Amino acid sequence: PGVRAGRRKSAAPLNFTLGAMARRMKEEDAEKVLHSDAFVGRIVRLSSAAESRLDILLAFYFSREKSIDDFLVLVAERLNFSAKIDILSKLKLPKEGKARATLLRILRGLSYLRNKVAHDYYITGVKLTRITDNADAMLFVTANRREQGRIKSQMEVCFHHVWNAVEKSNKKRA
């Protein structure tokens, strides 16, 4: 009911509001989450998957099909995740709606949080306050596992929309 025959309803539609999930949390509760091995593992794996998707998206934007592997090895491997996100934000793409803005918010929060949990074993005091003041990072910290799954699905939907915009851009430039 509510879904037309032949059309699949996405797991996380673009009107899904990320801000609704980024609720406030006491710093001591955030600290417990950030020190959880399970949470850190999920963040590292999710950011790794997101960065790989971003590498391929950038490779298709900047390279011809025959040189994609060269781009991935010679260019993408030399850029950090943050630089790749900045490049994505500056690409000239046909209208992709809110997808790129939503994707950038997710990727920035994920990148920031991954760097914090990967490089700081003890996250307390000022470091903790910086994380809790970052709404994009707190999106992941305050989310339970189910909500994290919805964020991941939202990220995939946004990647799909931006990918379509990259394909349109490539056709225009060809």
Side-chain angles (χ1 to χ4, degrees), residues 13-15 18 88 93-107 154-165:
L14 277 175
N15 63 1
L18 296 173
L88 174 63
L93 294 174
K95 189 176 180 181
E96 74 279 345
K98 296 179 184 176
R100 185 168 26 173
T102 301
L103 180 59
L104 287 168
R105 180 169 180 205
I106 292 170
L107 294 176
Q154 179 70 24
M155 182 179 73
E156 294 297 331
V157 168
C158 291
F159 262 121
H160 175 75
H161 285 277
V162 175
W163 182 271
N164 288 341

Side-chain angles (χ1 to χ4, degrees), residues 1 7 34 40 52 56 59 73 75 99 121 158:
R7 289 189 60 175
L34 291 165
V40 171
S52 294
I56 294 167
V73 171
V75 179
Y121 187 74
C158 291

Side-chain angles (χ1 to χ4, degrees), residues 30-37 40 113-124 127-128 131:
E31 185 177 357
K32 287 177 189 172
V33 171
L34 291 165
H35 288 113
S36 158
D37 289 343
V40 171
L113 196 53
R114 190 216 64 89
N115 285 339
K116 295 301 177 196
V117 299
H119 297 290
D120 294 324
Y121 187 74
Y122 294 107
I123 300 173
T124 58
K127 291 179 183 181
L128 180 61
I131 292 173

